Amino acid sequence: MSSIIQVKHLSKEFGDIKAVNDLSFEVPAGQVYGFLGQNGAGKSTTIRMLLTLITPTAGSIEIFGMDLHHHRKEILRQTGAMIEKPDLYKYLTALENLRIFALMSGIKVTEKILMDQLAMVGLAERAKSKVKTFSQGMKQRLGIAVALVHDPKLIILDEPTNGLDPQGIADIRKLILHLSGDLGKTLVVSSHLLGEMELIADNMLIIDRGRKVVEGKKEALLNPEKVQVEIITDDKERALAVLKETAWRKNMVSSANGTVLLEISKADIPELNRELTEKGINIFSLRPKHTLEDFFLSLTKN
Amino acid sequence: MLQLLNIELYKIFKRPRTFIAFGVIAAIIFLIQIALKFGGEEYVGMMMSGLNSTFDAPADQVMNGYFVCFIILNLLLIHVPILVALVAGDMISGEANMGTLRLLVSKPVSRTQLLLVKFTAACIYTFLLLIWVAVLSLFLSMLLFGTNQLFVARGEEVNIISASDILWRYVAAFAFATVGLITVAALSFMLSAFADNSIGPIVATVCVIIVFTILTQMQIPFYDNTIKPYLFTTHMLGWKGFFYVKGEEGVTIERSIGNLPAIIRSGLILTGYAALFLFTAIWYFKRKNILS
Amino acid sequence: MVRILLNAFIFFLPAITHGQAAEELVLKVKEKFDKVNDYEAKGKMKMNVTFIKAPVATVKVYYKKPDKLKINNESGISLVPKGSINISIANIIANAAECDIIDAGKEEKTQWRVVKLLPRNEAADIVLSTLYIDEQLLLIRKTRTTTKENGTYELEMTYGKYAEYGLADKVIFSFNTKDYKLPKGVTFDYDDGTKKEESKDKLKNKKGKVEISYSSYAINKGVPDSIFK
C-alpha cells in the first residue's frame, strides 16, 4: 500500500520550546489515520505544518509523493481540512461560505454541487441562513462541508467531534467511515476522544511532548505482545507473596485496592492462572486491560 | 486572480461594518453642509479675516459649492484615513481573529497572491469611499450652494480660481487623495499582517496618523527640516497643490498649477511608502506561522 | 496732527492767492461731470496685489448722482478694496463744496494743475485729496487721497471716447495693503516648497493695484436705487 503522507524527521521550535521533535510517520492511502496526543503534545502544530500554515524548523513532508514546500498548490488543491474550531464568516450564509472556499480551492462551482454538499452534512434547509445563527454542531458540519466541497483526496480533520452531542458524534463517525470506506479517501483525524478513535481509525500515531511514542495498526496497538493483566483475588496479600516468590515478580507493575497489576505476554495468561490456583489462591477475575485509553495513558504517563 | 479579488470584494461589501464608513461620511458631509448653509458666512469671515482690513469681501459669493467642497475635503481628509483603517486594518488580522485565516492560507493560493488580492480589494474600497466623498461633497454641494469662483485661503496668499477652471482640479485632487489614502491603507494593511486581532492595527494606524499630522502641522523649525519632509502625512496634503495657482501680475493663470513638480514628488513619496508597507507586509506574512 | 501741519503749511504759502482760480477749475470740471446723472459701465477688472491671485473679472460699474457707486463682478468673487467706493472722482468732486480748495501750482512734466482739497469737516475720513487736472480738456488725470483709516489711495485715469462726460476708459486704483496671514491651523496648508520673497520688503508699505478697463458706458439711461443696496 502506497503512502499518501510521508513525514521525515519533522521538527518545529518556537523559541526554546520544541513543539515537534524529530517526528516521522507515514499515512497509508485510503485509510483513516488517527492522530493522538494530549493537549500540547504537538498534534495541532504537526497538522498545521501539513497544511503549510507553519513552516517546519527541520525535516521534510511529502504528500502525494511530492515535496510539500515545492508543490504546495498541487497538494493543497487535493487536500481538504478542518482545523480546530470550524470558524467561518459569521455574517455570510452557509451557502456563501461554502461557495467562497470552493472557489478558493480552484474548482468550478455550481449551485447543485454546493447544495449537494450541504445536504450531505444535513444543512440543506439552512443553506440561506447566516452562520452566526448556527449551533456549534451545525458549524462543525458546515466546516466539514467546506473541507469536502472540492472533492479532495486527502482530508485532514482536527478534532472533528469537539463540542458535539452524542448524536452529532455518531453522525460524524458515520461520515468518516463513509468517506474512507465507500469513497476511498485518505483521512487524518486527530481527536482526544480516544474511544471514538478506536471505532474509526485504521492506523494510529501517538505523540507526546512533540515526540512519536508509537505508530502502527490499531489492532496491533490494541493487542500488543505484552498486556497489563489485572488480577482480583480473595486474598491480595497472599497473592502478592506468592507472586514475589516466583519468576512473575519481575512482571509486577503495581498493587492497589485489592487488585494486582502485571505486565505479561498474552500467551502467559493461562500459565499465570494455573500457578496461582495451584498455590490455593481463589481468583475472581483475571482481565487484560486492553482499552486504547489505558494504553494511551500508560504510554504518556511519564 | 480576478476570481479571488471578487471573493475579497464580496466579503468586504457583505459586511455591515463596511457601510458604516459610507454612512459616517454621508453624515459628516451633511452636517458640514447644513452648518455652512445656515452659518457659513461667519465661517467665511474667519477664512477671510486676513483680507477684511483691506478688502470688502462678499461672503455670499465666496460661499458656493466649490468652496464648500474644499472645506469638506479640508476637514474630512484628516478623518477618512480612520475609515480606511477600519477596513484595511481588518483585512488580515480580522480573518485571524475570526479564525478563517487558517482556512484561507491552507487553500491552493500563494500567500503573496492572497495579500496582493486583499490589498487590491482594500484599495478598491478606498477608491469607492472617495467617489462617495466626491459625489456628496462636490456634486451635492454644487447643487445646494451653486457654483462660482473658488476662493482658496492659504497661509500667506489668497488664490481665486475661475469657475470654469475648477472641476479638473477636483478630479486631480481626488486622484491624489486616492494615492494618499492608499498609503494609509497600506500602513494599516501592514500592521494587520503583524497582528492577530483587528483592533490593534486600526488603533495603531489612527495613532500614527494623529501623531504624524500633529508633527506636520506643528510650526517647529527643528522638525520642519528633519522629520517633516519624510512624514507621509505631510505629503497627503498634496491634493491642495492643485488649487494653488500661478499668477502674472496678480492675475491667475488659467489651468496653471503652482508647483506641479512638488505635487508629483509628494505623489511619488506616497507611492513609495505604500509600496514599502505592502512589501513589508508580504515579506513578513510569507514567513508568518499561522497560529490563530 | 497732519491736519494742523498742513493748515500751517498752507497758511504761509503764497500759492493761496491762486485759490480762487483753482476753485473755478474744480467747478468747471464738476459741471462737466454733472452732465452725467447715472451710468452703467461694462469693463474688465484686474487686480495686482502681492498676496492675491485672481482671474480678470468682468465687472459692471453703476453710478448714480451724487455719490452712489457700485462694482459688481459678473463672473465671480468681487474683492473690492475697502473704501475705494468713497474715493471715486464723483465722490471727491461731489464733496468739493465742503472743502477748502488750494492751488498748488503745476506739475512740471505734464503741466497738469495740482489742486488740493481739504475737507472742512474734521470728522471726515478723507484728510486730503490732491487732484491733477488737465486744464485744456477739463479732465482729472490723477488723484491722490489720504484717509485716516485706510492710508493713501491713488487714481489714475486714461480718457477716450467718453471724455466729454469726464468718464475714463481706464482707471488704475492704487492703495496700501496690509500683511495677509492666516494661522496654519485654519488652512492646513500644503507646503509645496514655494518660498515667499516678501521677507526683504516686509516692513515697507505694500501697494496694491486695481485696474478697470471700461468697454462701454450707458450714460443717463437710469439706474434703479436697488442696485446700490
Side-chain angles (χ1 to χ4, degrees):
Chain A
M1 201 185 307
S2 65
S3 297
I4 290 286
I5 302 177
Q6 270 188 307
V7 171
K8 285 176 191 159
H9 306 293
L10 191 67
S11 293
K12 179 65 192 179
E13 291 167 18
F14 294 108
D16 294 340
I17 299 158
K18 286 194 168 181
V20 174
N21 191 354
D22 195 28
L23 188 65
S24 300
F25 61 91
E26 289 188 17
V27 175
Q31 296 203 348
V32 179
Y33 193 83
F35 206 37
L36 297 178
Q38 290 174 324
N39 284 338
K43 273 180 304 174
S44 261
T45 305
T46 307
I47 283 181
R48 280 171 188 256
M49 284 194 277
L50 293 179
L51 291 166
T52 71
L53 294 173
I54 292 178
T55 316
T57 311
S60 71
I61 299 171
E62 272 186 26
I63 300 179
F64 306 125
M66 292 177 281
D67 180 69
L68 179 60
H69 185 68
H70 293 107
H71 298 90
R72 180 177 173 275
K73 279 192 192 178
E74 290 105 296
I75 291 167
L76 290 179
R77 208 168 280 137
Q78 304 173 64
T79 307
M82 189 179 78
I83 312 141
E84 291 176 28
K85 289 188 280 122
D87 289 314
L88 296 156
Y89 301 106
K90 294 179 184 67
Y91 57 93
L92 298 179
T93 66
L95 193 62
E96 287 166 342
N97 267 290
L98 195 58
R99 181 181 291 120
I100 283 177
F101 289 109
L103 289 171
M104 287 205 71
S105 303
I107 60 158
K108 288 220 182 300
V109 183
T110 63
E111 190 85 2
K112 189 179 178 301
I113 292 177
L114 299 178
M115 286 310 291
D116 285 352
Q117 202 66 48
L118 286 175
M120 192 178 86
V121 294
L123 286 173
E125 281 172 23
R126 297 295 299 274
K128 303 263 165 80
S129 303
K130 292 219 163 108
V131 169
K132 64 180 168 201
T133 66
F134 280 17
S135 69
Q136 181 63 30
M138 289 161 83
K139 285 184 197 162
Q140 204 86 6
R141 281 183 276 155
L142 182 57
I144 289 175
V146 166
L148 301 179
V149 68
H150 55 295
D151 195 24
K153 288 185 194 155
L154 171 64
I155 298 155
I156 298 174
L157 302 175
D158 193 6
E159 306 272 2
T161 53
N162 228 358
L164 295 186
D165 58 20
Q167 183 58 51
I169 293 173
D171 288 346
I172 298 280
R173 185 199 310 147
K174 228 166 82 185
L175 182 66
I176 289 173
L177 291 174
H178 166 69
L179 289 168
S180 123
D182 303 337
L183 303 178
K185 310 273 184 200
T186 305
L187 288 100
V188 173
V189 182
S190 85
S191 177
H192 69 280
L193 291 176
L194 303 160
E196 273 306 311
M197 203 56 84
E198 235 180 310
L199 295 173
I200 54 170
D202 301 304
N203 282 273
M204 278 192 230
L205 169 70
I206 297 171
I207 63 169
D208 187 43
R209 273 163 272 184
R211 284 179 174 279
K212 173 159 83 176
V213 178
V214 66
E215 183 197 14
K217 287 203 160 295
K218 178 175 68 182
E219 294 77 20
L221 295 181
L222 295 182
N223 299 292
E225 263 311 286
K226 297 229 165 176
V227 292
Q228 289 195 354
V229 178
E230 186 187 59
I231 311 162
I232 302 174
T233 63
D234 61 341
D235 188 343
K236 182 184 155 196
E237 297 308 317
R238 254 193 71 212
L240 271 174
V242 167
L243 288 169
K244 278 178 183 164
E245 285 162 15
T246 64
W248 297 111
R249 68 174 173 269
K250 64 178 185 293
N251 299 90
M252 275 180 50
V253 177
S254 74
S255 57
N257 302 330
T259 68
V260 181
L261 210 58
L262 262 71
E263 194 172 86
I264 55 175
S265 81
K266 270 187 179 172
D268 290 338
I269 293 175
E271 177 62 31
L272 175 68
N273 186 24
R274 192 162 42 242
E275 205 169 328
L276 286 172
T277 314
E278 278 171 4
K279 296 271 158 85
I281 293 165
N282 294 321
I283 296 172
F284 296 146
S285 143
L286 196 92
R287 185 169 67 95
K289 288 186 75 171
H290 71 284
T291 64
L292 187 57
E293 188 151 356
D294 294 329
F295 179 65
F296 176 67
L297 287 174
S298 72
L299 284 173
T300 57
K301 202 158 52 185
N302 317 317
Chain B
M1 197 80 170
L2 213 61
Q3 179 84 273
L4 291 175
L5 183 59
N6 266 334
I7 293 172
E8 285 305 323
L9 289 173
Y10 186 80
K11 286 193 287 194
I12 290 179
F13 287 99
K14 271 279 177 172
R15 292 181 85 161
R17 177 193 294 196
T18 305
F19 296 96
I20 291 175
F22 285 84
V24 165
I25 282 178
I28 295 174
I29 291 178
F30 287 144
L31 285 174
I32 298 174
Q33 282 169 336
I34 288 169
L36 291 178
K37 191 87 193 165
F38 294 104
E41 300 194 356
E42 258 173 66
Y43 185 82
V44 172
M46 189 182 78
M47 294 297 278
M48 300 175 85
S49 56
L51 279 182
N52 281 344
S53 55
T54 321
F55 291 95
D56 284 320
D60 57 325
Q61 291 173 359
V62 170
M63 182 57 65
N64 62 65
Y66 293 135
F67 184 73
V68 170
C69 181
F70 195 80
I71 293 173
I72 291 173
L73 291 192
N74 220 348
L75 297 172
L76 209 59
L77 287 182
I78 299 166
H79 304 109
V80 172
I82 297 169
L83 300 175
V84 168
L86 208 62
V87 166
D90 196 49
M91 287 302 287
I92 304 164
S93 57
E95 300 259 13
N97 193 32
M98 259 189 297
T100 44
L101 187 63
R102 54 177 187 262
L103 261 175
L104 288 185
V105 176
S106 61
K107 290 289 160 192
V109 174
S110 79
R111 290 193 189 190
T112 307
Q113 207 177 6
L114 186 68
L115 255 63
L116 285 176
V117 161
K118 277 186 164 291
F119 183 66
T120 310
C123 290
I124 291 173
Y125 161 82
T126 305
F127 182 67
L128 291 175
L129 209 60
L130 266 172
I131 298 250
W132 180 240
V133 172
V135 167
L136 292 178
S137 68
L138 183 58
F139 297 115
L140 187 62
S141 295
M142 283 165 75
L143 243 129
L144 288 174
F145 294 85
T147 58
N148 202 337
Q149 293 182 335
L150 175 63
F151 179 96
V152 180
R154 298 169 63 178
E156 293 172 344
E157 194 176 315
V158 165
N159 289 177
I160 297 175
I161 304 168
S162 295
S164 60
D165 192 24
I166 295 172
L167 266 181
W168 73 274
R169 293 179 193 274
Y170 271 118
V171 173
F174 275 111
F176 189 94
T178 307
V179 176
L181 288 181
I182 281 175
T183 307
V184 173
L187 169 68
S188 212
F189 191 74
M190 177 184 77
L191 297 172
S192 183
F194 296 158
D196 282 341
N197 69 79
S198 10
I199 301 302
I202 295 170
V203 171
T205 307
V206 171
C207 288
V208 167
I209 289 167
I210 289 172
V211 171
F212 281 17
T213 304
I214 289 170
L215 286 176
T216 298
Q217 297 302 330
M218 258 197 315
Q219 304 277 309
I220 297 173
F222 174 69
Y223 289 138
D224 280 357
N225 304 317
T226 49
I227 301 175
K228 244 158 131 175
Y230 302 102
L231 299 176
F232 65 88
T233 44
T234 306
H235 299 285
M236 278 174 69
L237 293 172
W239 66 272
K240 287 188 180 180
F242 291 107
F243 296 95
Y244 296 170
V245 294
K246 280 184 184 153
E248 201 174 10
E249 291 184 345
V251 175
T252 304
I253 299 173
E254 291 258 316
R255 316 262 143 195
S256 69
I257 294 170
N259 191 351
L260 185 61
I263 301 173
I264 293 173
R265 192 171 154 267
S266 287
L268 289 175
I269 289 171
L270 288 173
T271 311
Y273 269 116
L276 178 72
F277 294 149
L278 179 62
F279 286 133
T280 309
I282 292 174
W283 179 85
Y284 178 83
F285 191 71
K286 273 180 85 168
R287 284 154 187 78
K288 186 178 183 175
N289 290 318
I290 310 296
L291 302 171
S292 59
Chain C
M1 186 67 182
V2 175
R3 187 73 203 277
I4 294 163
L5 275 174
L6 274 169
N7 274 337
F9 176 69
I10 289 157
F11 186 79
F12 292 108
L13 213 68
I16 196 148
T17 48
H18 299 287
Q20 217 63 8
E23 215 161 297
E24 270 167 42
L25 184 62
V26 171
L27 265 173
K28 277 186 205 163
V29 171
K30 189 170 184 287
E31 261 167 46
K32 189 172 188 176
F33 210 77
D34 274 345
K35 285 190 275 180
V36 182
N37 286 318
D38 57 63
Y39 66 74
E40 180 188 325
K42 285 178 191 161
K44 300 264 180 211
M45 185 169 86
K46 215 168 106 178
M47 205 176 306
N48 190 353
V49 180
T50 47
F51 56 81
I52 294 178
K53 287 176 193 144
V56 173
T58 310
V59 292
K60 270 192 181 162
V61 180
Y62 299 94
Y63 164 77
K64 193 165 188 177
K65 250 182 177 173
D67 58 357
K68 284 181 183 153
L69 192 86
K70 171 95 176 177
I71 302 173
N72 266 359
N73 188 340
E74 299 287 294
S75 60
I77 298 163
S78 45
L79 284 184
V80 179
K82 244 189 183 150
S84 63
I85 303 292
N86 298 326
I87 311 304
S88 66
I89 308 179
N91 197 295
I92 291 167
I93 297 217
N95 291 324
E98 278 127 56
C99 295
D100 291 327
I101 300 173
I102 297 144
D103 188 342
K106 283 191 176 184
E107 195 185 53
E108 221 166 274
K109 208 174 91 195
T110 56
Q111 289 300 300
W112 293 336
R113 174 68 60 191
V114 183
V115 175
K116 294 186 186 275
L117 304 184
L118 277 163
R120 288 185 209 106
N121 177 7
E122 288 208 22
D125 183 40
I126 295 173
V127 177
L128 170 72
S129 296
T130 310
L131 309 182
Y132 294 78
I133 302 172
D134 185 327
E135 287 173 289
Q136 256 101 61
L137 300 169
L138 291 176
L139 293 170
I140 299 173
R141 293 290 191 173
K142 205 163 93 178
T143 73
R144 184 182 296 124
T145 308
T146 306
T147 65
K148 286 181 196 158
E149 298 277 329
N150 300 305
T152 301
Y153 296 88
E154 269 181 40
L155 281 170
E156 248 177 87
M157 275 70 64
T158 314
Y159 294 90
K161 45 187 174 172
Y162 298 97
E164 56 172 310
Y165 294 98
L167 298 174
D169 280 11
K170 187 171 161 187
V171 179
I172 298 171
F173 180 79
S174 311
F175 53 97
N176 289 329
T177 61
K178 287 171 190 159
D179 244 344
Y180 171 82
K181 202 163 177 112
L182 274 182
K184 225 181 173 191
V186 174
T187 56
F188 285 113
D189 265 3
Y190 168 58
D191 184 7
D192 67 354
T194 333
K195 289 276 168 279
K196 307 279 173 298
E197 75 263 13
E198 64 181 336
S199 48
K200 54 177 185 277
D201 59 350
K202 200 151 199 170
L203 294 171
K204 273 198 230 162
N205 260 342
K206 277 180 224 137
K207 283 277 180 197
K209 265 189 197 169
V210 173
E211 188 183 307
I212 302 179
S213 305
Y214 293 101
S215 55
S216 69
Y217 283 93
I219 300 161
N220 297 338
K221 298 275 158 67
V223 174
D225 282 330
S226 57
I227 281 183
F228 301 98
K229 274 170 192 159

